[in-house]
Amino acid sequence: MEKVSFIIAEKSFVIRTGLMKIINSFTETIIIKEVTEYKTIIKYVNKLNPDFLIINLKFIEDAYDDIRKMFSENIKTKFIIFTGTKRSKEHFAYFDEQISVDDDKTTILKKIQVLISGIIPYGNEDNNELSEREKEVVKQIALGKTNKEIAEELFISVHTVITHRKNITGKLGIKTVSGLTVYAILNNIIEINEAS
Amino acid sequence: MLITKKTKLAEVIHQNYHLIPIITRFGINFGFGDKNVEQICEKYDIRQDFFLEIINAFNDEDYSPINKLQNLPLEITVSYLLKSHQYFNKVKLPHIENLISKLEWTSAENKKNKSILNKFFIQYRKEVTEHTLHEENEVYPFIIEIEKNYNLSQNNIDFYRLLEKKSVIKYAETHDELNTSLLDLKNIIIKYLPPSDNIDITEQILNEIFDLEKDMKDHTDIENSVVIPVAIKMENKLRKRFNLK
């Protein structure tokens, strides 16, 4: 499953550790970079294009309305401002969310949950059933066929086979040929004596 | 908690029992009374600075031993890695294999479940053994050789010949495959195998796999961020000394 990516821009070790702990408490998230220096924020956000940047207000004091202009236009990143004390909401119209040091646990978890579900809608995960086509691909993998052989067998391109494999791994959480073979046998997609 | 030379080893284990295999890997046996790290290291003739880096790195994910380990002789780090290999191959993997062989199902599928799970694990064990053997026979000796020659004041012609043919860079590979197999195994047991008759054994197996995964991750971190980069640096300097490209 694709994870929701975060960059955390925060100088203080204490606060950064706290923010990371909160973000990491969600299974759908991944922190791809911690930034502690102002000058590297723009570089990393433009390069890594995270779903979210959590940035301390101190880094951008007096330049809120310019926040988006600081970064490349091509990034998808949404901005979460972290503030030391509560400030009036209107200052933060340019941000997608505001987290304050004063927020209690439930408030902050809810805010993050809402942000995550904006990226991965609820219920999206429920459909982990393999399609008939994917089952067919699992079967071929378990029989020991290469991508090229599978493509020929099913009259599809190698590229499509690779896409199927990616989706299968995403759905099942199993990647290796041996692992997929076990899955195929357990689910009667192939017989045990057919396995490669 | 930061473990220092004055920390009592008994306290270390009370605080984090996951460190038990790391401590025994250094050859330290139990019954150490109130001895602290310094005293234990002296008793067992273990390099204290190295022990502290390894134990702290395992204890706290945020503790980065890389800088300090990079300044210690590679020989020490490599001999530790060899001990971890032994632990994986001789202790941990046979233990998990034994546990897996004890799983039973009352259903008609019993034989099938046992057979495919065993087969998967034996295949995985084979991969680990091949990988570790390759490192023990090829990679580590070459790295030790590099360090030895790096510390020599004069150039060794035999090693010059070796460097003409070999480079550490080609060993800077990842260990993704092994890790992926473990992830697969976890999901097979957690999600796809039908519930067995002995839930207690399934629980033990899962705990063992999660432990092994963490242990192997720290192991490869040391290889990838200490041993290989330091060896590459030494090799490059040696190549300059030899006027080799």
Side-chain angles (χ1 to χ4, degrees):
Chain A
M1 187 185 66
E2 243 357 83
K3 297 222 173 190
V4 179
S5 54
F6 285 77
I7 289 183
I8 296 182
E10 169 59 59
K11 228 178 205 149
S12 150
F13 171 72
V14 171
I15 297 173
R16 205 168 62 243
T17 309
L19 287 171
M20 284 173 45
K21 193 175 172 208
I22 294 164
I23 300 300
N24 282 331
S25 71
F26 292 87
T27 51
E28 307 95 321
T29 60
I30 181 166
I31 294 165
I32 49 176
K33 189 80 200 165
E34 301 164 52
V35 185
T36 54
E37 280 177 81
Y38 177 74
K39 55 180 190 235
T40 57
I41 298 174
I42 296 172
K43 181 179 101 187
Y44 281 118
V45 171
N46 285 344
K47 191 171 134 204
L48 301 172
N49 191 14
D51 293 309
F52 294 104
L53 168 71
I54 302 185
I55 184 166
N56 193 312
L57 176 69
K58 280 186 200 151
F59 278 132
I60 41 166
E61 200 81 63
D62 303 326
Y64 328 108
D65 44 351
D66 281 323
I67 178 89
R68 275 175 212 288
K69 289 179 206 148
M70 285 162 55
F71 298 94
S72 152
E73 281 175 14
N74 300 323
I75 56 162
K76 62 180 176 200
T77 309
K78 292 192 165 67
F79 299 95
I80 305 168
I81 188 88
F82 177 81
T83 58
T85 48
K86 273 193 179 127
R87 308 206 179 193
S88 75
K89 192 105 185 169
E90 63 200 86
H91 283 109
F92 302 111
Y94 290 92
F95 296 93
D96 298 279
E97 186 54 273
Q98 175 203 351
I99 297 173
S100 157
V101 76
D102 295 327
D103 283 347
D104 63 25
K105 185 176 175 182
T106 321
T107 311
I108 201 162
L109 289 180
K110 268 189 188 152
K111 281 178 183 173
I112 307 284
Q113 182 65 64
V114 169
L115 291 168
I116 292 171
S117 54
I119 308 286
I120 306 178
Y122 285 121
N124 198 24
E125 266 179 275
D126 289 341
N127 190 16
N128 273 351
E129 286 270 316
L130 295 185
S131 69
E132 285 310 311
R133 197 54 159 176
E134 285 163 346
K135 277 185 195 163
E136 194 57 42
V137 174
V138 169
K139 181 177 176 180
Q140 299 296 326
I141 295 170
L143 292 172
K145 303 266 179 70
T146 64
N147 284 346
K148 192 162 166 277
E149 287 166 337
I150 298 172
E152 279 163 15
E153 179 81 27
L154 302 179
F155 304 106
I156 52 181
S157 70
V158 171
H159 181 77
T160 310
V161 176
I162 293 168
T163 308
H164 279 310
R165 288 184 83 140
K166 259 189 206 152
N167 293 339
I168 290 164
T169 298
K171 283 182 179 179
L172 302 180
I174 302 181
K175 195 174 179 185
T176 63
V177 173
S178 324
L180 289 168
T181 308
V182 171
Y183 177 86
I185 297 170
L186 284 175
N187 290 280
N188 301 314
I189 295 172
I190 64 165
E191 291 294 321
I192 190 161
N193 50 15
E194 289 179 277
S196 59
Chain B
M1 156 174 130
L2 185 68
I3 300 159
T4 69
K5 62 179 183 176
K6 294 293 176 204
T7 313
K8 287 178 182 163
L9 205 54
E11 284 304 313
V12 170
I13 293 179
H14 278 301
Q15 189 257 149
N16 182 358
Y17 68 89
H18 287 112
L19 299 174
I20 291 171
I22 311 302
I23 288 169
T24 55
R25 193 170 307 166
F26 278 94
I28 302 168
N29 205 339
F30 296 93
F32 29 68
D34 277 326
K35 288 206 176 70
N36 62 28
V37 169
E38 191 174 23
Q39 293 160 325
I40 294 274
C41 284
E42 206 184 301
K43 182 178 170 193
Y44 285 92
D45 199 19
I46 297 164
R47 248 188 98 133
Q48 183 191 297
D49 47 3
F50 182 73
F51 179 81
L52 282 173
E53 291 309 310
I54 295 289
I55 201 93
N56 275 306
F58 268 74
N59 185 40
D60 176 1
E61 275 185 22
D62 295 328
Y63 184 91
S64 173
I66 292 164
N67 287 339
K68 284 188 186 152
L69 286 184
Q70 282 187 343
N71 292 321
L72 292 175
L74 284 180
E75 203 187 342
I76 294 174
T77 311
V78 167
S79 91
Y80 169 79
L81 293 176
L82 281 169
K83 280 185 198 143
S84 324
H85 281 180
Q86 267 187 353
Y87 179 73
F88 298 149
N89 287 318
K90 302 256 162 72
V91 181
K92 207 71 174 174
L93 292 173
H95 179 51
I96 299 175
E97 190 173 317
N98 183 36
L99 286 171
I100 285 179
S101 72
K102 285 183 181 158
L103 286 176
E104 297 287 343
W105 290 264
T106 26
S107 69
E109 310 278 82
N110 188 36
K111 218 178 135 195
K112 175 170 123 179
N113 293 343
K114 284 178 85 78
S115 138
I116 50 175
L117 195 59
N118 276 326
K119 200 176 156 204
F120 181 90
F121 196 76
I122 288 167
Q123 169 68 25
Y124 169 70
R125 238 188 110 173
K126 210 177 115 207
E127 284 167 26
V128 176
T129 311
E130 277 167 12
H131 180 88
T132 50
L133 267 182
H134 168 70
E135 289 184 336
E136 286 161 24
N137 297 334
E138 290 273 327
V139 187
Y140 295 168
F142 184 50
I143 282 170
I144 297 292
E145 211 41 38
I146 287 180
E147 181 170 58
K148 218 170 84 192
N149 279 278
Y150 180 81
N151 292 327
L152 282 179
S153 51
Q154 63 208 88
N155 294 345
N156 172 347
I157 186 71
D158 291 335
F159 190 67
Y160 173 88
R161 299 245 158 80
L162 192 61
L163 271 194
E164 281 183 318
K165 287 181 270 174
K166 265 173 116 172
S167 167
V168 186
I169 291 175
K170 108 174 164 92
Y171 298 130
E173 54 185 55
T174 57
H175 302 67
D176 278 356
E177 271 299 309
L178 297 179
N179 193 28
T180 313
S181 294
L182 267 192
L183 280 174
D184 284 4
L185 182 58
K186 285 198 298 192
N187 272 329
I188 286 169
I189 297 173
I190 298 171
K191 292 167 77 177
Y192 302 114
L193 264 182
S196 73
D197 298 346
N198 15 31
I199 183 174
D200 52 328
I201 293 179
T202 313
E203 186 184 329
Q204 286 178 49
I205 294 172
L206 284 172
N207 279 325
E208 289 291 339
I209 297 173
F210 277 100
D211 276 355
L212 179 65
E213 197 183 14
K214 157 106 173 71
D215 206 340
M216 283 191 164
K217 187 189 168 290
D218 288 355
H219 180 85
T220 47
D221 279 353
I222 293 175
E223 286 180 333
N224 296 338
S225 34
V226 180
V227 176
I228 297 287
V230 172
I232 288 178
K233 257 188 218 161
M234 288 178 174
E235 183 188 312
N236 286 340
K237 285 195 182 148
L238 278 168
R239 282 179 186 280
K240 263 193 195 148
R241 235 196 263 170
F242 288 149
N243 278 324
L244 270 172
K245 266 190 185 170

